Amino acid sequence: MKFYRRSPPGPLRTVTPGEKIPEMSVSTSFVQPATREKAIQMVSGSMNDRFVVSRRRTGFGDCLWSLAAAWHFAKQTGRTLVIDWRGSCYLDKPFRNAFPVFFEPVQDIAGVRVICDDDLNERSFPGPFFPAWWNKPAIDCVYRPDEQIFRERDQLDQLFQSKRDCDANTVVCDACLMWRCDQKAEREIFRSIKPRAEIQARINAMYREHFEPYSVIGIHVRHGNGEDIMGHAPYWADPQRALRQVCRAIDKARGLPHAKPVRAFLCTDSALVLEQVSTIFPDVFAIPKQFQAPHAGPLHSAALGAEGGVSALIEMYLLARCDTVIRFPPTSAFTRYARLFAPRVIEFDLSDPSRLILIEDKSQELVAS
C-alpha cells in the first residue's frame, strides 16, 4: 500500500557516518490527486517543516518499539513525528489510522511535535524522501517485497547510527525498528502514549479485581498458532520441551519471595497453550478473549475486529503491572513494555533457551539459573 509519492523521482543514497545526502529540490508527496492544491498550499506555507513518518501495520509491541526509534530520530533532528498506522492488522479498514482508534491523541512528546489524527488520507508530506524507494511513482510501488523492507530497515539503521540528519524532507520509517534506539527513548514513548480512556478503564477494573490483592506472576507465551514466527522459531523446535520450559519458569517464579499471596496470569495467542498450562497449574487465570482456530494464525488479525486489538492492549498493560513477568520467547516485542517496567523479569537465554535469566529491580543485573 503506497501513500507517499513524488514526481519526477530522483536518486537518494544512504548516509554513512560523517556524510549527508546531497541537496535535492523539494517536491510534494500526494496521497490522492484531489489533494494536490491543498498539498501545495501546505508545503508553500511551511517549507521548513521536516517529518519522520512512523508507519507500522503489525502488533502493538512492534508498533510502539519502532515508534520509539522514529521519535528518537525526530528528537535529534528537530523534525515532526507522524504516526501512520493505516492498514493495521487490528482493523478491517485499510485507510483508517489505527493509532487514534486505540490511543489518546497526543500533540507533543518531550518537545517533538506529533501528528497522529485520522485525516492522514487528506495530508501530504514534502519530498524528497528517504529511503529512496518512496521517491518512486506510486504505480511502481504497488508491490513492495520483503527484501525491500529489510533493505530500508538497514538504511534507516545506518542513518540513525550516524547520529546525523539527511537532506530528505520526509523520512519514512516503514520497517521493524526494534533495537534501533536506547531504553530511554522506549520509556519516553511508553510513558507518553496512553490507551484511550475506555480501554484504560477496562485495564484499571481488571487490575483492581484480579491483581491488586496479589503478587501476580505474568506469563506471556508467544506460540504463533501456525504463522511464520521467524526469530521465535528456535524456541518452538520441540513444542513439548518448550511447554516444559515455561512450566519450569513458573515454578521458579513461584519460589521467589513475594509480598502477597501469589497468583499466575497467562497471556498467549494459542488456546492449546492455555489448555495445557492450565492443566498443570489449575489456578492460572486468563482474560477471556476470542482465539483464532488452531493453526489459523496470530491474534493480531483484522478478522477479530478492533476488539482483538483492545484485548491485546489490556494484556500488554496488565503484564507491565505484574510483580514478576515470564517472557517466552524473549524475542517477542509484545512484552517489551513489561520488560522495561516490571520489577522482576524471568526470560530465556537467547543463545540457550533452556537457561533461565532473572532480572530484578531494573538494575539490569543478571542472575543465571
Side-chain angles (χ1 to χ4, degrees), residues 83-86 91 93-101 115-121:
I83 306 176
D84 180 359
W85 292 356
R86 287 175 292 180
L91 300 176
K93 297 179 175 59
F95 292 100
R96 188 172 187 186
N97 187 9
F99 183 86
V101 174
I115 298 172
C116 61
D117 49 33
D118 198 28
D119 67 349
L120 288 176
N121 293 309

Side-chain angles (χ1 to χ4, degrees), residues 318-361:
L318 285 175
L319 278 170
R321 297 174 74 171
C322 291
D323 300 275
T324 304
V325 173
I326 297 170
R327 305 174 68 211
F328 187 90
T331 47
S332 174
F334 185 81
T335 49
R336 187 59 181 177
Y337 181 31
R339 170 65 177 80
L340 293 173
F341 289 96
R344 189 160 56 190
V345 176
I346 295 175
E347 56 186 43
F348 299 77
D349 194 325
L350 290 170
S351 58
D352 180 7
S354 66
R355 179 172 175 263
L356 295 178
I357 297 176
L358 172 65
I359 306 167
E360 288 193 283
D361 298 328

Side-chain angles (χ1 to χ4, degrees), residues 273-312:
V273 168
L274 175 60
E275 177 186 348
Q276 292 183 333
V277 173
S278 299
T279 298
I280 299 171
F281 299 98
D283 57 340
V284 164
F285 80 98
I287 295 173
K289 64 184 177 185
Q290 182 180 357
F291 285 98
Q292 294 270 58
H295 308 295
L299 282 182
H300 41 273
S301 167
L304 299 178
E307 181 59 28
V310 172
S311 296

